[in-house]
Amino acid sequence: MRGYLGVDVGSVSTNLVLLSEDEEVVESLYLRTQGRPIDAVQEGLRILRRSVPGFEVAGVGTTGSGRRLAGVLVGADVVKNEITAHAVAALKEVPDVRTVIEIGGQDSKIILLRSGVVVDFAMNTVCAAGTGSFLEHQAERLGVPVEKFGELAAASEAPVRIAGRCAVFAESDMVHKQQVGCLLPDIIRGLCEALVRNYLNNVGKGKEIHAPVVFQGGVAANAGMRQAFEEALRMPVTVPPRFDVMGAIGAAILAKRHVRSGRATGGTSFAGWVVPDHDFSARSRECTDCPNMCEIVEISRDSALIARWGGKCGKWEEARPVAPGPPDPSPMSGLSCPSGELESAAGR
């Protein structure tokens, strides 16, 4: 079988998808990143290699906060931000979608589309209330599997009012409601409603939300959150069947478009199913060649430097990777930043 690989590396989860030529999901994985994105990507490829032997990868796309790192590891043909990837995947499921609500492990975003084009978007800034990691923490604290949240919320007859302005206040308010004897279903239903209010007041603030609405990301598994969104918006909310890997699906579709557009001259850049067999490492260091003090990230495969980035002037990205051997603490120390590109240390 021939198709496309999509990889979405986030702070909480790493998702991989294999798409057929007609964009049907052949296999999908949802793995915990656990602070080790390189290991997560390698483990995902190792599982796919076993579960779909002989799959010919015609193109690879990466997205998520770790998209650049993942792109280097797998040899991506296209590296795209989460907004684009999630919008493309939502359009595949609901072609006339106008609003995408995406809530992942540690971030939330809203994407507005009109006639299939992204016209506006927003992401959460400082508050993690309502994200997957916050809900998991509350589930653990309450001693309830997070998968049961939706069932319990549906059983509520008198939801309590929870302060959802921020994660700290929400948890404090939940503890208070428990201490005064409120029922668990009422607390969980109140929490879902509070988190939806938080999302709409912060992430969706000032946005014109129109139907059809698609709700995706790991939190979409919570039926209580879906119900709370439908009640707050007074419109139906669609949760796609592959809600938890939509970013990876979007990345794979983008890879397919890239390859078919003819821009992938010479075929795909996919590094092959041997990626899990290599030894990858990452390190960062501070460039001292100018007052910007940029943090330079370097990726090595089997002790050979294969990529680096992070400088404001771009000289490290342009530098040719060094050959395997003893590490050189300053392989480009003879260079200086190009004229006119030096910014002050104050970050103007």
Side-chain angles (χ1 to χ4, degrees), residues 7-237:
V7 182
D8 180 2
V9 179
S11 55
V12 173
S13 70
T14 294
N15 312 316
L16 295 91
V17 163
L18 289 179
L19 281 190
S20 65
E21 289 278 10
D22 55 0
E23 299 184 2
E24 293 299 320
V25 176
V26 177
E27 186 65 278
S28 66
L29 293 176
Y30 181 96
L31 305 173
R32 294 286 179 179
T33 305
Q34 297 182 321
R36 301 190 299 274
I38 294 177
D39 292 345
V41 171
Q42 288 186 297
E43 178 62 15
L45 290 174
R46 194 175 290 115
I47 295 172
L48 290 178
R49 185 173 62 183
R50 280 199 306 267
S51 60
V52 192
F55 189 91
E56 180 186 352
V57 176
V60 187
T62 61
T63 188
S65 57
R67 58 185 177 274
R68 193 164 187 177
L69 171 62
V72 170
L73 299 181
V74 302
D77 297 294
V78 59
V79 178
K80 287 289 184 180
N81 60 67
E82 304 102 299
I83 301 298
T84 304
H86 279 282
V88 166
L91 284 166
K92 175 180 179 294
E93 294 293 330
V94 182
D96 58 343
V97 60
R98 300 181 73 189
T99 305
V100 177
I101 295 170
E102 198 281 332
I103 305 181
Q106 286 191 338
D107 62 26
S108 309
K109 56 185 76 71
I110 184 170
I111 307 169
L112 303 183
L113 301 99
R114 300 294 182 263
S115 302
V117 177
V118 176
V119 296
D120 196 7
F121 70 92
M123 298 182 68
N124 64 331
T125 52
V126 296
C127 182
T131 62
S133 55
F134 175 74
L135 283 173
E136 285 188 352
H137 173 66
Q138 296 310 317
E140 182 178 355
R141 194 181 62 78
L142 293 170
V144 177
V146 71
E147 297 83 9
K148 295 287 185 182
F149 260 41
E151 181 183 332
L152 287 169
S156 169
E157 296 181 353
V160 299
R161 179 86 177 182
I162 302 288
R165 190 71 175 170
C166 83
V168 175
F169 291 155
E171 181 168 328
S172 300
D173 216 14
M174 289 175 65
V175 171
H176 172 69
K177 294 296 191 296
Q178 287 178 277
Q179 290 170 336
V180 298
C182 294
L183 299 176
L184 186 59
D186 294 335
I187 294 175
I188 292 177
R189 174 76 175 275
L191 174 64
C192 292
E193 293 178 352
L195 298 183
V196 167
R197 287 197 304 273
N198 176 287
Y199 176 92
L200 296 176
N201 290 333
N202 293 294
V203 183
K205 184 178 181 181
K207 307 295 183 189
E208 294 184 0
I209 298 177
H210 296 301
V213 178
V214 172
F215 181 21
Q216 55 197 42
V219 175
N222 186 330
M225 289 291 290
R226 174 184 178 176
Q227 182 181 357
F229 268 120
E230 288 183 328
E231 291 176 353
L233 297 174
R234 297 181 181 177
M235 61 180 72
V237 172

Side-chain angles (χ1 to χ4, degrees), residues 243-311:
F243 59 86
D244 55 341
V245 294
M246 294 294 277
I249 291 175
I253 294 174
L254 289 165
K256 174 185 171 182
R257 293 177 182 176
H258 179 81
V259 170
R260 293 197 172 184
S261 70
R263 284 175 285 176
T265 56
T268 178
S269 301
F270 180 47
W273 292 109
V274 296
V275 168
D277 304 328
H278 288 289
D279 180 22
F280 290 94
S281 62
R283 71 163 190 159
S284 64
R285 61 185 178 81
E286 196 171 74
C287 174
T288 57
D289 289 355
C290 80
N292 281 326
M293 308 291 282
C294 297
E295 183 182 16
I296 309 301
V297 178
E298 298 181 337
I299 309 299
S300 298
R301 180 180 59 208
D302 301 329
S303 301
L305 183 64
I306 58 173
R308 57 187 161 197
W309 62 80

